Amino acid sequence: MAAAPLPSPSLAMAPAEAAPAVEILGVDKVFADGTRGLTPIDLTVAQGEFVSLIGPSGCGKSTLLSLIANLIQPTDGRLLWWRGGFDKVGQPGRRLSIVFQDATLMPWARVEGNVRLPLDLARMPKDEAAPRVDEALALVGLSSHGRLYPRQLSGGMRMRVSIARALVTEPDMLLMDEPFGALDEFTRNRLDSDLSELWRLRGFTTIFVTHSIYEAVFLSTRIVVMAAQPGRLFREIEIDEPFPRGDAFRTSAKFADYCRELSVALMEASLASGRGRDR
Ligand SMILES: Nc1ncnc2c1ncn2[C@@H]1O[C@H](COP(=O)(O)OP(=O)(O)O)[C@@H](O)[C@H]1O
Ligand SMILES: [Mg+2]
């Protein structure tokens, strides 16, 4: 199948022009047990951006993702989700998908059944769902694996199934929480390259949590570095490199420079963690 041609996100996301996908306005989160997950943060992610969140454990990356997914509610502040570039809406709706570190597949169902799950939940008739499932499997390079069971797949392939399941609803926003963290580096690089290409062709806004400096630099249009105790935004780094990005970028001096800059920012975020907002 051929992906519909879309404008290059790197062009579409010029900050002054791109409409927001989500606006996070003075949002903080205190959990029921009194733990402060996040101090008030402001962040706008534009449509078509690929934003990575990186920072020490406990800095609120997953909390922020859960807020954006509308899985939890802010203690204070508010979030605005935009759709189609025009309408401001109070909730993200169905065009948002999440991928976690664990592929969370149903072991008793075939790959195609796992990918079809969101469509089944939406009560889409099977004959209507089937071509969508085929397309999603093709997108992640698993066209010939639909009849297999999860246990017959490698870790990388299971994660591809999880991504296909996220894409089968044709989301305009994809949230990923350390999706490739459990994979070996070679597999992770392959998945990063494929995800980057999918994102470029499809244009969905992506918010991606990672611990990997290399992965963040390779994938992102912008990296948000966070600090912990209390969880907060610490620094932003724009990655000014056109797409598609390939191995030539991975091995370039510019890539190494960005990695060094991010590495220093992370060290500073780590030192600032536990010392409040003003340090
Ligand atoms: N449901 C919860 N109840 C209480 N505290 C929580 C809950 N979820 C997360 N936290 C706390 O909020 C902080 C941020 O957690 P989290 O967002 O998971 O960080 P990260 O994903 O960056 O490691 C941590 O101190 C964590 O222990
Ligand atoms: Mg987390």
Side-chain angles (χ1 to χ4, degrees):
M1 64 116 259
L6 286 167
S8 159
S10 52
L11 295 176
M13 60 151 284
E17 294 156 38
V22 61
E23 285 179 278
I24 299 156
L25 305 167
V27 163
D28 72 3
K29 180 69 189 175
V30 180
F31 289 101
D33 65 358
T35 308
R36 181 169 282 281
L38 283 176
T39 51
I41 64 161
D42 292 286
L43 178 69
T44 297
V45 176
Q47 289 185 23
E49 262 197 290
F50 194 119
V51 172
S52 288
L53 306 176
I54 192 165
S57 272
C59 69
K61 303 179 294 293
S62 296
T63 301
L64 184 52
L65 224 54
S66 301
L67 285 160
I68 295 169
N70 208 21
L71 294 173
I72 59 173
Q73 302 307 309
T75 305
D76 213 346
R78 62 192 184 130
L79 291 100
L80 294 172
W81 294 267
W82 292 55
R83 212 176 279 157
F86 302 104
D87 300 322
K88 224 184 255 197
V89 291
Q91 51 182 18
R94 284 202 319 229
R95 313 232 36 196
L96 180 149
S97 292
I98 316 180
V99 174
F100 299 100
Q101 177 169 347
D102 182 1
T104 61
L105 303 180
M106 304 178 290
W108 62 87
R110 294 180 197 274
V111 164
E112 58 194 17
N114 272 285
V115 173
R116 201 179 54 235
L117 177 68
L119 305 181
D120 288 345
L121 292 173
R123 296 171 193 274
M124 183 182 285
K126 286 236 162 59
D127 55 341
E128 201 181 316
R132 292 229 207 171
V133 170
D134 290 346
E135 184 185 335
L137 283 173
L139 283 176
V140 299
L142 288 182
S143 283
S144 55
H145 296 72
R147 303 293 291 165
L148 298 182
Y149 288 92
R151 64 175 178 277
Q152 297 174 284
L153 305 178
S154 67
M157 286 158 97
R158 281 201 289 272
M159 189 45 71
R160 287 177 187 274
V161 175
S162 177
I163 294 171
R165 182 181 54 195
L167 295 179
V168 78
T169 53
E170 297 178 5
D172 43 35
M173 192 185 293
L174 184 62
L175 307 181
M176 305 181 92
D177 198 348
E178 298 184 43
F180 309 145
L183 303 175
D184 64 84
E185 197 169 338
F186 177 77
T187 307
R188 178 192 280 225
N189 281 349
R190 283 280 318 265
L191 281 163
D192 283 345
S193 295
D194 290 354
L195 172 65
S196 186
E197 201 51 11
L198 272 176
W199 166 82
R200 186 177 71 86
L201 293 171
R202 293 270 151 157
F204 44 78
T205 308
T206 306
I207 305 177
F208 187 93
V209 173
T210 181
H211 278 297
S212 163
I213 288 171
Y214 307 109
E215 185 168 51
V217 171
F218 180 74
L219 289 170
S220 312
T221 57
R222 179 162 55 123
I223 300 170
V224 175
V225 180
M226 296 174 69
Q229 294 176 325
R232 60 200 189 272
L233 306 190
F234 184 76
R235 192 166 300 161
E236 283 192 7
I237 299 175
E238 302 255 356
I239 306 298
D240 182 17
E241 170 75 13
F243 294 88
R245 294 174 182 172
D247 288 338
F249 178 50
R250 268 203 184 92
T251 50
S252 68
K254 189 175 176 186
F255 185 83
D257 286 345
Y258 275 129
C259 289
R260 199 172 307 120
E261 182 183 350
L262 180 54
S263 176
V264 170
L266 262 176
M267 235 179 296
E268 290 173 359
S270 183
L271 285 172
S273 293
R275 297 188 190 174
R277 294 178 67 81
D278 301 320
R279 296 289 297 270

